[in-house]
């Protein structure tokens, strides 16, 4: 039983990492209605930015959260404005090709600049083990869990209480009605895409003390994030959080009780079943009016 509880705890801590990435993906898909296959490469850029700030300016990954979040927000806004925006009237597969092409270009640009070597930043405090009630947790993972909960709560507060948040919700529900009410939908799309990328900026700063960065690191995380988004619901921030916890626990349990090499098979099987039997996910709902 102790091993089982420890595995559940490990899964929750792992799920918090997926949650921060998946929340950004949910924002972009739910509002802009674009599947961003370059989401993982935004994470990669953020992690390289954290590494450069640490090696050249002596900033710890946690101190670099603010500049990296701002950097990723600007990057996401620019991508939306100059790459996605001109394609919003095109077929969906054209938008997908654009983000896949951007993903490929960013990976190869990183290979050109940094090579295929692994780069890491050592943060001794983040790698320390903390024992609570007989169960072991990494400090860095606990920080990530707290940040994931604060992020989801903060986004909920922002969406419910601010004028910009209400405009974003209105755009998600019915774009045409939002236009008639004076909402500048194109600007909302740019801001939302920036916010989704900024979430990845937060994730990259929190991941850097725990994982080395390579040009392809985003691929693994974003594939899992897609499973989380589908499981939780395509347009639900809370669904992304709960879905991330479920996938984290499934990852932990299947890796221990089945085989570490087969844990991806388990949650991708869940992904397929959700697509077949409940395409809107656990907390999702249908797409709003175009």
């Amino acid at each position: 039983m102790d091993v089982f509880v420890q595995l559940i705890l490990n899964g929750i801590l792992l799920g918090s990492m997926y949650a921060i990435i998946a929340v950004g993906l949910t924002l972009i898909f739910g509002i802009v209605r674009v599947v961003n296959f370059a989401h993982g490469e935004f994470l990669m850029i953020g992690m390289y930015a954290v590494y450069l700030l640490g090696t050249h300016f002596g900033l710890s990954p946690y101190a670099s959260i603010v500049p990296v979040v701002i950097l990723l927000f600007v990057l996401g806004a620019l991508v939306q404005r100059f790459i996605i925006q001109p394609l919003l009237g095109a077929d969906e597969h054209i938008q997908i090709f654009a983000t896949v092409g951007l993903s490929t270009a960013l990976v190869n640009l990183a290979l050109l600049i940094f090579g295929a070597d692994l780069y890491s930043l050592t943060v001794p405090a983040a790698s320390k083990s903390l024992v609570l009630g007989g169960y072991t947790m990494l400090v860095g993972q606990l920080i990530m869990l707290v940040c994931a909960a604060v992020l989801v709560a903060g986004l909920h507060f922002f969406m419910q209480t601010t004028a910009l948040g209400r405009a974003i919700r209105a755009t998600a529900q019915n774009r045409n009605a939002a236009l008639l009410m004076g909402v500048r939908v194109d600007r909302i799309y740019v801001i939302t895409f920036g916010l989704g990328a900024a979430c990845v900026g937060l994730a990259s700063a929190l991941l850097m003390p725990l994982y080395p960065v390579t040009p392809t690191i985003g691929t693994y995380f974003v594939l899992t994030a897609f499973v989380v988004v589908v499981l939780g619901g395509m347009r639900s921030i809370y669904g992304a959080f709960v879905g991330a916890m479920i996938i984290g626990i499934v990852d932990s349990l299947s890796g221990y009780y089945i085989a570490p090499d087969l844990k991806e098979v388990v949650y991708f099987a869940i992904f397929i079943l959700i697509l077949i039997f409940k395409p809107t996910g656990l907390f999702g709902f249908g797409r709003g009016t175009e």
Side-chain angles (χ1 to χ4, degrees):
M1 181 56 69
D2 286 342
V3 172
F4 181 78
V5 173
Q6 180 69 63
L7 290 171
I8 295 293
L9 188 58
N10 291 346
I12 292 172
L13 295 172
L14 180 64
S16 65
M17 173 182 64
Y18 295 143
I20 299 176
I21 302 171
V23 163
L25 196 60
T26 297
L27 274 175
I28 293 172
F29 182 84
I31 311 301
V32 188
R33 319 276 174 82
V34 170
V35 181
N36 180 24
F37 283 96
H39 202 67
E41 281 57 54
F42 288 176
L43 176 72
M44 175 263 294
I45 289 172
M47 292 182 73
Y48 275 119
V50 173
Y51 173 78
L52 293 174
L53 287 172
T55 54
H56 293 286
F57 299 100
L59 286 180
S60 77
Y62 300 117
S64 66
I65 285 177
V66 173
V68 172
V69 165
I70 293 173
L71 170 67
L72 266 294
F73 177 88
V74 172
L75 175 63
L78 290 174
V79 167
Q80 165 62 26
R81 177 63 184 83
F82 295 105
I83 298 178
I84 304 299
Q85 198 99 307
L87 300 176
L88 287 179
D91 292 337
E92 290 184 353
H93 68 273
I94 300 297
Q95 301 166 9
I96 291 173
F97 289 157
T99 59
V100 170
L102 178 62
S103 168
T104 304
L106 291 175
V107 168
N108 283 279
L109 181 62
L111 282 168
L112 181 65
I113 296 173
F114 297 100
D117 296 332
L118 282 73
Y119 294 92
S120 60
L121 285 177
T122 302
V123 182
S127 302
K128 285 184 179 179
S129 296
L130 187 65
V131 179
L132 294 174
Y135 300 106
T136 304
M137 294 162 284
L138 287 180
V139 172
Q141 290 180 320
L142 277 175
I143 293 173
M144 197 174 301
L145 177 60
V146 172
C147 288
V150 170
L151 174 65
V152 171
L155 282 173
H156 175 77
F157 179 82
F158 169 75
M159 291 291 190
Q160 297 293 328
T161 62
T162 67
L164 178 58
R166 288 191 289 270
I168 291 174
R169 288 167 52 213
T171 303
Q173 291 171 10
N174 191 312
R175 184 178 68 177
N176 293 329
L179 281 169
L180 292 173
M181 293 299 103
V183 176
R184 299 185 63 179
V185 171
D186 288 348
R187 178 177 292 181
I188 293 298
Y189 284 169
V190 170
I191 292 172
T192 303
F193 211 100
L195 286 174
C199 292
V200 181
L202 173 62
S204 55
L206 297 173
L207 280 172
M208 197 65 212
L210 304 174
Y211 294 89
V213 58
T214 67
T216 58
I217 190 169
T219 303
Y220 171 77
F221 288 111
V222 81
L223 284 176
T224 307
F226 275 116
V227 177
V228 168
V229 170
V230 170
L231 176 62
M234 289 291 196
R235 294 167 57 198
S236 172
I237 292 174
Y238 281 114
F241 183 81
V242 174
M245 296 299 113
I246 293 173
I247 291 300
I249 292 170
V250 168
D251 187 301
S252 179
L253 293 176
S254 59
Y256 182 83
Y257 288 112
I258 301 177
D261 295 338
L262 295 178
K263 59 185 181 181
E264 288 88 356
V265 175
V266 177
Y267 57 71
F268 275 109
I270 295 174
F271 174 76
I272 293 170
L273 291 174
I274 288 291
L275 285 176
I276 293 172
F277 295 106
K278 200 175 190 301
T280 56
L282 299 178
F283 300 92
F285 42 90
R287 294 178 59 159
T289 302
E290 297 292 338

